[in-house]
Amino acid sequence: MSSRIIRVELGERSYPVVVGHGATKTLRTLLPAAARRAVIVTQEGLPTIGDLDLPHTSLFIDRGEANKNLSTIEHLCRGFADFGLTRNDVVIGVGGGLVTDVAGFAAASWHRGTSVVHVATSLLGMVDAAIGGKTAVNIPEGKNLVGAFWQPRAVVCDIDHLSTLPESEMRCGLGEVAKYHFISGTDLLAMTMEERIAECVRIKAEIVSEDEREGGRRALLNYGHTLAHALEIAGEHDMAHGEAVAVGVVFAGRLAGALGLIDGNRVETHERVVGDTYGLRTRPLRSHDPAELVRIMRRDKKAINGLTFILDGAGGLAVHNDVPEDVVVETLRTFLSE
Ligand code: GLY
């Protein structure tokens, strides 16, 4: 087994992210020494973690974004209680972003904070969701509105798990990789899969170490997400998160062009990188009313200062609050009609 270890540096809460073929074999060494039992939180049909010489049980989350809710947290916590999980024990989240978000929040809440280790089985989970301690569930009023920052004790990214991933899930992860392309300016596709995942983890680890609670730079990780969240809601999740992020990144390029922050070449680079280099859709699956999308964006939990976008510019990506609504609507209208 070859693997790379990237550390998320957060003082005494620092932790390793192990990236490599067969990296799951390191899992046992990553569990807290005091843990006497473990609960594995996962979904049916996902890769398993092999033998664990520790008393353990598995709890399953049903598939689909609709299950990322408070009822699932209650279901998990009642399962923890049945199994006798104590605060010294460990929760192991095995799955994609939905699983690690939900398992992380359940662990953060159980006995006011129980250790969690994530085994990310999707590309999106490996490059983004499992790292950085954001945990949350949805309520009808919005995505990820109820949650906590709760850093894992370790994250495992086993490249072998990707061979079982459906094509649509790979595309979803690539949308987030394309995001890192613009955050870092690095040609990530020139790398092997292991190098690429390790590089995305390194970029995210560095940002999270600097700004754990998203007071500043961490917001850049939301590049493309303002429109993406609105598309997910308006499209009733017809596009997976990463696919919507890919469209959101291209639109963010277009909006930055409309606001005079970047030139036409750079706008075109967004279309080309996402559409040609990464081979992803650059427009939504269905038609959308621009005014409706803007209404949803205004409800976004980050929209405290009017419409907020991460936009490209001469100095790289930056947060822009109060982006004029008329420019957003007009740019969206043209963008969606092409
Ligand atoms: N997914 C964005 C972040 O972790 O901050």
Side-chain angles (χ1 to χ4, degrees):
M1 183 200 82
S2 73
S3 62
R4 296 153 203 259
I5 299 176
I6 300 110
R7 281 186 71 75
V8 181
E9 297 292 350
L10 288 167
E12 60 186 20
R13 292 175 297 114
S14 298
Y15 56 94
V17 181
V18 184
V19 180
H21 290 277
T24 311
K25 293 193 184 76
T26 63
L27 177 64
R28 185 64 184 93
T29 64
L30 301 170
L31 301 183
R36 294 285 166 265
R37 343 184 95 200
V39 174
I40 297 159
V41 175
T42 189
Q43 288 175 315
E44 292 287 356
L46 291 184
T48 53
I49 55 173
D51 282 344
L52 200 64
D53 64 342
L54 195 69
H56 61 278
T57 191
S58 295
L59 297 176
F60 292 87
I61 304 175
D62 288 337
R63 287 185 178 266
E65 185 74 16
N67 296 298
K68 191 179 174 183
N69 61 21
L70 286 164
S71 302
T72 301
I73 298 298
E74 181 176 1
H75 161 72
L76 293 178
C77 290
R78 294 186 71 178
F80 297 166
D82 271 356
F83 188 61
L85 196 77
T86 74
R87 197 171 166 195
N88 289 331
D89 294 327
V90 64
V91 174
I92 306 175
V94 181
L98 187 151
V99 169
T100 55
D101 275 16
V102 172
F105 185 41
S109 311
W110 183 244
H111 288 304
R112 302 188 182 88
T114 300
S115 295
V116 64
V117 172
H118 294 311
V119 179
T121 60
S122 71
L123 181 57
L124 185 139
M126 294 182 192
V127 299
D128 189 39
I131 304 150
K134 277 190 182 176
T135 74
V137 293
N138 308 330
I139 54 175
E141 287 72 16
K143 269 173 68 81
N144 297 331
L145 286 183
V146 184
F149 283 97
W150 186 245
Q151 297 294 341
R153 294 285 291 250
V155 179
V156 173
C157 303
D158 189 335
I159 314 288
D160 292 345
H161 289 157
L162 296 178
S163 59
T164 60
L165 212 59
E167 177 59 31
S168 58
E169 290 257 7
M170 281 304 271
R171 278 201 306 277
C172 182
L174 277 180
E176 293 282 354
V177 177
K179 170 190 89 176
Y180 286 109
H181 185 110
F182 288 97
I183 293 175
S184 69
T186 311
D187 183 1
L188 296 159
L189 278 189
M191 302 174 175
T192 65
M193 184 59 96
E194 185 175 324
E195 287 167 345
R196 187 183 311 156
I197 291 171
E199 180 60 12
C200 292
V201 170
R202 192 196 59 71
I203 297 165
K204 180 152 188 183
E206 194 243 310
I207 292 175
V208 169
S209 299
E210 185 185 311
D211 178 25
E212 182 185 8
R213 296 286 177 130
E214 202 171 306
R217 195 163 163 235
R218 184 164 181 169
L220 303 187
L221 293 170
N222 299 324
Y223 194 41
H225 284 57
T226 309
L227 178 61
H229 281 159
L231 289 174
E232 286 175 81
I233 293 166
E236 295 167 323
H237 301 282
D238 61 341
M239 297 181 86
H241 175 67
E243 293 177 300
V245 168
V247 176
V249 164
V250 178
F251 176 69
R254 184 64 76 85
L255 185 59
L259 292 165
L261 297 167
I262 56 175
D263 63 21
N265 278 339
R266 184 70 179 157
V267 173
E268 196 41 45
T269 301
H270 281 72
E271 291 271 2
R272 190 170 40 73
V273 166
V274 174
D276 300 342
T277 315
Y278 283 83
L280 298 168
R281 287 187 70 90
T282 59
R283 297 295 184 277
L285 275 174
R286 60 169 89 173
S287 58
H288 288 277
D289 172 9
E292 163 71 358
L293 291 174
V294 167
R295 199 178 59 71
I296 297 171
M297 287 184 222
R298 283 205 171 279
R299 273 199 340 237
D300 191 286
K301 65 183 184 297
K302 297 191 183 72
I304 37 175
N305 295 309
L307 284 172
T308 299
F309 282 86
I310 315 300
L311 295 173
D312 200 4
L317 302 189
V319 180
H320 290 254
N321 296 314
D322 272 330
V323 178
E325 182 167 328
D326 55 338
V327 181
V328 176
V329 173
E330 235 359 87
T331 312
L332 253 182
R333 198 178 303 287
T334 314
F335 178 78
L336 295 175
S337 66
E338 288 165 355

